Amino acid sequence: KIPKEHRYEWLSDARNNMYSAHCLAMYDDLQVATEKDARTHKFFDALLLGDMAKAETEFKDIYLSMKSSPLSRKAEIDIAFLVDLTGSMGPYAPTISSMIKALVEKQGAVMEKLTTNFPETEFTFRVAVMGFRDIDDQDRQFKEVVWDSGSHFSEDVDEVIRFSSSMMWYTSGGGDIAEDLLGAISRSACWDAAGDWASPMRFMVVLTDAPAHGLTNDARPSDNYAARHPLSITPCSVMGELLSKNIDLFFCSFDPHATSKTEEELCHQYAAHTNNPDQRQVSVIPLLESDQPAGSRNSGISAIRHIIFVLDESGSMKNEWNGVVNAYNNFIARRQQHQCDSDLISVVQFDETARITVQHCPIESTPRQLSQQKGRTQFHPAAIEACSVARATPVSHVPLVVFMSDGGANDSSAASQEFSSLNSEI
């Protein structure tokens, strides 16, 4: 309690302290205003001098200074992973969930780097996962979940990983080379459940090995929707949806050659969009190294193949023939599951002679049953025929010879020389 005789002095001190605080705040505001005014003067000076490059730089500085603000003590981050579930993603499926977990939680991951660089800020990750296939997969095209919180995003990373693992269990569908990447990005950007895209920092990560419809490379012509998306979605409209939600895009490719044109177009449309005054950019991340030009004969798992089966039908194979035919059919089925619908199939069957029973047949029309002759075993005639068929491979395809037999032959060295010469040529 303040004695009566000291109250005036106390009130005067309180008033002076309040005025001092106001003066300091006014001084700080004046300093900021002076700095902004100096930037504005520099902008107009550059305009008057006709230095448009400097004027653009000064304007960008003004804009960014107005937009920027220090991080708060707590910050939430939304990350949505869009995962290609089509057949060609089969080889990568086992790594997807562990990759997502590593990006979010493991040593050197995003969370660790943020907490290291901004130790004063407590970060919270909210993660979402959506699987996608192609337009013709219809009701199987999208796989997503809204959690009990009412949002596609969850702070429980393990919960999201379990969902991701379950949806990657069986990759299938797709049909043509291109996939509905634009439809997937648009669908995720337009999520509107309670709590969707509610954090101030928002990121979308696309994981695929395929181009978008209308953006395939010339060497990969299989595109059922090259001219127009059924929903009239375009790269420009999709990038606009991302920017309107303040979402940064990361494009991660398992086949950089196949996706190069898609990457270029998305990067261009995002950077040049009228809703992007900050000049933000799409981040492109190749997940596999590739030193071959697009469409080359060694362009990897998704290369278009001419598969030449060389099958021993001699008498010693009478008890194994059904197994040989089953292996032949399983190989073809696996290629179809991986969307290799442009493959060609040839079959050379041999005993002491060789015969071509299938030649340059589209994979979907390949016969499933093969008859057996049951003669003696000779490799060299089969090698000659197989190499002849391989040399007739179209330039659009990569030849692959699959040789099946149960034993040796006295002409195996000559057969080996034929295949060695073929390998040197192609």
Side-chain angles (χ1 to χ4, degrees), residues 117-183:
N117 292 323
F118 304 98
E120 73 285 354
T121 302
E122 178 185 344
F123 290 95
T124 301
F125 270 105
R126 302 190 325 135
V127 183
V129 173
M130 182 182 79
F132 66 91
R133 292 186 172 89
D134 204 2
I135 296 166
D136 292 335
D137 291 306
Q138 299 178 359
D139 59 346
R140 298 173 60 246
Q141 184 176 359
F142 299 112
K143 192 169 182 65
E144 59 192 349
V145 62
V146 175
W147 303 103
D148 293 339
S149 63
S151 172
H152 287 86
F153 293 87
S154 174
E155 294 181 20
D156 187 340
V157 176
D158 290 333
E159 179 180 57
V160 177
I161 295 300
R162 286 193 294 272
F163 171 71
S164 171
S165 298
S166 68
M167 77 177 187
M168 295 301 300
W169 184 254
Y170 185 66
T171 53
S172 63
D176 56 1
I177 291 296
E179 308 300 356
D180 191 18
L181 303 183
L182 299 182

Side-chain angles (χ1 to χ4, degrees), residues 221-257:
S222 178
D223 185 351
N224 296 338
Y225 299 93
R228 179 181 176 274
H229 192 284
L231 300 178
S232 299
I233 295 173
T234 66
C236 181
S237 68
V238 171
M239 295 302 98
E241 288 171 341
L242 289 177
L243 289 162
S244 69
K245 292 285 187 72
N246 198 32
I247 301 170
D248 287 297
L249 178 65
F250 291 78
F251 193 98
C252 305
S253 175
F254 289 96
D255 190 346
H257 286 326

Side-chain angles (χ1 to χ4, degrees), residues 308-326:
I308 303 116
F309 291 92
V310 187
L311 308 179
D312 184 349
E313 62 175 354
S314 63
S316 64
M317 294 288 289
K318 64 181 180 181
N319 295 324
E320 308 295 337
W321 186 247
N322 287 337
V324 169
V325 174
N326 284 338

